[in-house]
């Protein structure tokens, strides 16, 4: 495997960290510089017709600019930079970098122009429409995003796998089974549980504020479904025997089976959930096929007849892949 | 973990399963705290009787390699790490035997015929 060049990391930091910091620093300076010429309160929200319909103190916009234009891009950058530093690569990282830059440029332009167009007004309610600035901010965000994408190099990890063989080899009279469990990586658990907790908090707030029985039922169902999805993806049992490869959730569902007769090639691969599949869990990615990717590291990749690919990340993948290869060869010989 | 059985072998099936589990411990495919798969799952995958697998697990428990817990099944004990310490020696003796034209089976037979003063006849 070639060592990935560090250029992808420095370019990512430039696009996802340096650009937001500079853009938002400029935006905040412009907004603060205009504060003596502003009405009080200023308009902070505009209706669908472009006329102002929400008002607040000038610092509200400054705070929103920093949170949306800098805070969110930095969160995006923080979630990706560790993987990149480890040597992981892929278009997902490139997209996240471009998205961080685009978000900060869009938010910076929109919020700053919303303040600057109110200079010299006595009453913010009489202010001009924000719509043209919204369009401009959108165009600038797209432009910055595209530039951010192009500035970063297109590096991908080579999808090379190795072939594992059994030692001692499987004899004709033998029957063998390989069993292994795989748990969702801690990072994945944290992300999923945080998302679920957020949903619970939103539900509690919604119900406290006062919501109808329908809304309450939908929220309760959503919470239950999400908890079930998390439970179903937390632990999987992987099994290789003479029937093929079987991957079953600890909850019994979902279950994936690749019959030994449909296997063309078995590889041991190093899987990077973020770089290759964009996330943890049950994933599909173009060119990589379907995968049960619960953590980074070794996995079994099966190339099926017809070109389909199935991947499962699991410890000791080498032993499992070796047995699966041996079973495949034996089935082929018996035909 | 990998379990291999050969119905054409003279070694009883339960002993083959126990030997497979020991080999898993030596190869560090099984570590202390790992849970063995349920006897039912192993039996169905290998197409053998459930009691044969249970017999193997009981033997491993008698050796101290696993402990049986109600509700948790068979759990690998710290003895697995001590077994794994043999791995370099075993790899070494297999390599040296091969240099002298001895197969693994021939080496196993030699070990079988080696006297052990600690083991009473």
């Amino acid at each position: 495997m070639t060592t990935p060049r560090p250029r992808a990391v420095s370019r990512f930091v430039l696009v996802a960290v340096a650009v937001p910091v500079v853009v938002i620093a400029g935006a905040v300076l412009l907004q603060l510089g205009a504060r003596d010429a502003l009405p009080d309160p200023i308009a902070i929200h505009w209706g669908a017709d472009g006329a102002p319909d929400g008002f607040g103190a000038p610092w509200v916009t400054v705070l929103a600019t920093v949170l949306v234009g800098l805070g969110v891009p930095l969160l995006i950058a923080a979630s990706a930079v560790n993987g990149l530093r480890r040597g992981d690569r892929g278009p997902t990282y490139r997209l996240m970098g471009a998205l961080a830059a685009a978000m900060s440029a869009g938010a910076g332009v929109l919020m700053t122009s919303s303040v600057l167009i109110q200079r010299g007004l006595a009453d913010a309610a009489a202010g001009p429409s924000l719509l043209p600035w919204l369009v401009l901010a959108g165009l600038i965000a797209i432009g910055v995003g595209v530039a951010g994408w192009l500035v970063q190099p297109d590096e991908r990890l080579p999808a090379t796998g190795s072939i594992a063989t059994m030692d001692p080899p499987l004899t004709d009279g033998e029957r063998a089974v390989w069993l292994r469990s795989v748990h969702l990586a801690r990072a994945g658990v944290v992300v999923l549980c945080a998302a679920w907790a957020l949903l619970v908090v939103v539900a509690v707030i919604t119900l406290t504020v006062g919501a109808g029985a329908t809304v309450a039922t939908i929220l309760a169902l959503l919470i239950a479904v999400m908890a079930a999805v998390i439970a179903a993806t937390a632990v999987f049992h992987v099994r290789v025997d003479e029937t093929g490869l079987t991957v079953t959730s600890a909850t019994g569902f979902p279950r994936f089976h690749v019959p030994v007769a449909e296997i063309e090639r078995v590889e041991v691969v190093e899987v990077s959930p973020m770089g290759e599949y964009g996330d943890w869990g049950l994933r599909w990615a173009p060119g990589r096929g379907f995968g049960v990717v619960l953590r980074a590291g070794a996995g079994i990749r099966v190339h099926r007849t017809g070109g389909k690919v199935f991947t499962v990340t699991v410890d000791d993948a080498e032993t499992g892949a070796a047995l699966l290869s041996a079973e495949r060869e034996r089935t082929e010989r018996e035909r | 973990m990998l379990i291999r059985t050969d119905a054409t072998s003279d070694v009883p099936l339960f002993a083959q399963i126990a030997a497979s589990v020991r080999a898993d411990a030596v190869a560090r495919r099984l570590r202390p705290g790992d849970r063995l798969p349920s006897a039912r799952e192993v039996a169905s995958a290998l197409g053998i009787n459930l009691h044969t697998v249970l017999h193997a697990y009981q033997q491993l428990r008698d050796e101290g390699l696993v402990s049986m817990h109600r509700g948790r099944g068979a759990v690998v004990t710290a003895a697995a790490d001590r077994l794994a310490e043999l791995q370099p020696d075993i790899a070494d003796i297999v390599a040296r035997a091969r240099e002298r034209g001895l197969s693994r089976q021939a080496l196993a037979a030699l070990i079988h015929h080696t006297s052990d003063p600690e083991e009473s006849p």
Side-chain angles (χ1 to χ4, degrees):
Chain A
M1 197 162 76
T2 54
T3 322
R5 288 161 296 169
R7 198 161 70 101
V9 183
S10 59
R11 289 291 169 87
F12 177 85
V13 172
L14 173 76
V15 169
V17 179
V19 167
V21 166
V22 171
V23 166
I24 297 309
V28 168
L29 284 177
L30 279 172
Q31 291 178 30
L32 292 179
R35 70 176 179 271
D36 291 339
L38 294 178
D40 188 18
I42 63 166
I44 57 167
H45 193 268
W46 281 260
D49 58 348
D53 66 355
F55 304 91
W59 61 262
V60 174
T61 308
V62 175
L63 184 68
T65 307
V66 173
L67 282 181
V68 179
L70 189 60
V72 176
L74 288 188
L75 273 181
I76 295 177
S79 68
V81 81
N82 277 335
L84 276 172
R85 284 232 175 91
R86 272 202 310 270
D88 195 10
R89 294 292 182 270
T92 312
Y93 290 105
R94 217 173 151 200
L95 182 67
M96 288 170 83
L99 198 68
M103 186 147 189
S104 108
V109 170
L110 180 65
M111 302 220 194
T112 306
S113 55
S114 84
V115 170
L116 296 187
I117 56 173
Q118 299 182 58
R119 276 178 307 183
L121 290 177
D123 180 8
S129 167
L130 191 63
L131 278 182
W133 299 100
L134 185 66
V135 174
L136 179 71
L139 291 177
I140 288 177
I142 292 171
V144 168
V146 170
W149 171 270
L150 293 176
V151 159
Q152 298 177 81
D154 181 17
E155 287 183 7
R156 286 154 201 251
L157 291 184
T160 49
S162 54
I163 308 292
T165 45
M166 275 187 96
D167 180 28
L170 196 66
T171 62
D172 281 343
E174 264 187 303
R175 288 188 77 162
V177 59
W178 179 81
L179 301 149
R180 190 91 205 188
S181 294
V182 56
H183 301 254
L184 187 62
R186 187 168 302 163
V189 174
V190 169
V191 167
L192 287 176
C193 288
W196 186 76
L198 188 70
L199 186 64
V200 172
V201 169
V202 168
V204 169
I205 292 173
T206 312
L207 295 181
T208 321
V209 169
T214 327
V215 176
T217 316
I218 291 173
L219 281 173
L221 271 177
L222 209 58
I223 287 170
V225 166
M226 200 160 150
V229 168
I230 293 173
T233 45
V235 181
F236 275 87
H237 300 301
V238 186
R239 167 170 148 176
V240 174
D241 57 21
E242 59 180 11
T243 69
L245 172 69
T246 312
V247 179
T248 316
S249 162
T251 55
F253 179 87
R255 178 176 179 276
F256 309 96
H257 180 66
V258 185
V260 72
E262 287 180 19
I263 295 174
E264 210 151 68
R265 195 154 50 87
V266 184
E267 282 180 318
V268 179
V269 287
E270 281 294 311
V271 180
S272 121
M274 272 296 269
E276 292 181 52
Y277 295 90
D279 204 350
W280 292 270
L282 310 181
R283 293 282 138 196
W284 185 87
R288 311 270 183 189
F290 186 74
V292 179
V293 284
L294 299 195
R295 56 151 182 75
I300 302 175
R301 179 163 289 161
V302 180
H303 297 263
R304 302 173 67 153
T305 50
K308 277 191 190 167
V309 180
F310 177 80
T311 307
V312 57
T313 61
V314 62
D315 290 345
D316 192 31
E318 193 145 326
T319 309
L323 176 59
L324 195 55
S325 285
E327 296 286 9
R328 188 199 73 81
E329 279 162 27
R330 189 155 68 174
T331 314
E332 204 155 75
R333 272 203 310 273
E334 282 168 6
R335 267 186 212 156
Chain B
M1 61 183 254
L2 179 68
I3 299 180
R4 306 171 68 154
T5 56
D6 188 348
T8 62
S9 160
D10 295 335
V11 181
L13 276 175
F14 84 89
Q16 293 185 31
I17 293 169
S20 277
V21 175
R22 269 182 234 118
D24 283 320
V26 169
R28 293 193 192 274
R29 282 193 292 267
L30 277 181
R31 287 161 183 277
D34 283 355
R35 208 173 350 164
L36 294 190
S38 77
R40 190 183 310 276
E41 185 164 18
V42 175
S44 79
L46 295 173
I48 55 179
N49 194 302
L50 173 66
H51 294 285
T52 311
V53 183
L54 286 173
H55 189 177
Y57 281 15
Q58 272 150 20
Q59 188 180 41
L60 293 167
R61 183 194 60 192
D62 294 345
E63 289 172 20
L65 186 58
V66 304
S67 55
M68 300 290 200
H69 296 281
R70 190 171 290 277
R72 279 201 72 205
V75 179
V76 178
T77 67
D81 274 346
R82 296 190 41 229
L83 268 191
E85 286 165 10
L86 289 175
Q87 202 277 330
D89 298 324
I90 295 172
D92 185 52
I93 189 72
V94 167
R96 289 171 60 198
R98 193 195 328 107
E99 282 166 18
R100 287 155 181 81
L102 280 181
S103 69
R104 282 181 274 213
Q105 288 74 18
L107 176 65
L110 274 183
I111 291 174
H112 189 66
H113 283 110
T114 304
S115 63
D116 181 358
E118 301 257 317
E119 212 168 274
S120 54

